[in-house]
Amino acid sequence: FLGERIARLRVDVSPLHSNRFFLAHLHANGYRMQGFQVALFREAEPVDTALPPGVAIRQVTTEEEAVAAAEIEWVGFDLKGWDEYLRDLVQAIWRRPDWRVYLALVDGKPAGMATLYMADGVGCLESACTLPEFRGRGAQTALIRRRIADAAAAGCDLVVSQTGSGTVSQNNMERCGLRIAYTKAEFFKPE
């Protein structure tokens, strides 16, 4: 059903809980494993939110900032053709009380973005990226710490996230105290 409606459907499979019949079914239907994601967690508690030189983090509060965040997301994640979808998505969530959208500024220029979703005492760190020319300046780590601190201040007990296995993002999250809960395989149908 979803495969007929979504251009590139991803099926995530926990290797620990899968079986050969399910994997054979995915393969028979054209799905191929193309990578791994790690799910991470930590307690939501106050953290050091000191910023590196030249880096500032602010919560999106205007339409203009929401558009900037969406632009950073499609460029940072190299999502050609998704610009309108991401603009609409960020516009839909930045005003909601259960979502927060953040901009990272490096030397006063929009450089990164991230989102935080909070429900039932859990803060979910979502969609963080930094534009290539600003990487290595500490913006992503600052976004992680800010979202952990904001989740704790909002009454969350737990913070969760996911990222590609073995990536700089995983390393940044682990340096901020998140631990691996499990690894999962990503299956896609070739385009």
Side-chain angles (χ1 to χ4, degrees):
F1 173 81
L2 290 174
E4 294 170 359
R5 288 158 178 79
I6 298 175
R8 191 152 193 255
L9 181 64
R10 182 177 92 194
V11 176
D12 292 348
V13 178
S14 169
L16 180 64
H17 299 293
S18 64
N19 64 53
R20 63 186 174 98
F21 301 108
F22 178 69
L23 295 174
H25 180 74
L26 285 175
H27 186 78
N29 284 280
Y31 286 87
R32 302 292 180 262
M33 190 182 75
Q34 294 187 357
F36 292 95
Q37 291 272 315
V38 290
L40 301 111
F41 73 101
R42 68 163 282 161
E43 290 181 8
E45 56 192 15
V47 294
D48 179 11
T49 55
L51 297 169
V55 175
I57 305 296
R58 69 175 178 228
Q59 187 175 337
V60 167
T61 59
T62 68
E63 297 273 340
E64 181 179 80
E65 290 173 337
V67 169
E71 288 174 0
I72 290 168
E73 189 171 17
W74 79 68
V75 171
F77 283 127
D78 193 25
L79 298 171
K80 292 174 181 67
W82 287 72
D83 51 336
E84 188 176 328
Y85 168 79
L86 291 171
R87 190 178 301 116
D88 290 347
L89 177 64
V90 172
Q91 289 293 338
I93 67 173
W94 76 268
R95 290 184 191 95
R96 291 181 50 145
D98 52 346
W99 281 92
R100 295 189 186 170
V101 179
Y102 301 87
L103 276 176
L105 301 144
V106 173
D107 298 329
K109 298 175 185 158
M113 65 80 61
T115 61
L116 169 64
Y117 174 70
M118 296 177 287
D120 301 321
V122 178
C124 188
L125 312 182
E126 297 282 343
S127 300
C129 68
T130 305
L131 294 173
E133 62 268 28
F134 296 106
R135 292 179 183 159
R137 299 277 308 270
Q140 187 183 51
T141 298
L143 284 164
I144 294 167
R145 288 183 178 151
R146 170 68 184 270
R147 291 179 294 159
I148 292 169
D150 284 1
C156 292
D157 300 311
L158 183 69
V159 174
V160 298
S161 192
Q162 69 177 15
T163 189
S165 180
T167 62
V168 171
S169 294
Q170 178 184 346
N171 293 337
N172 288 339
M173 287 185 193
E174 288 188 61
R175 277 201 318 269
C176 291
L178 282 92
R179 298 183 307 272
I180 296 174
Y182 61 91
T183 301
K184 57 187 177 179
E186 298 175 309
F187 286 80
F188 291 93
K189 269 191 179 180
E191 292 187 42

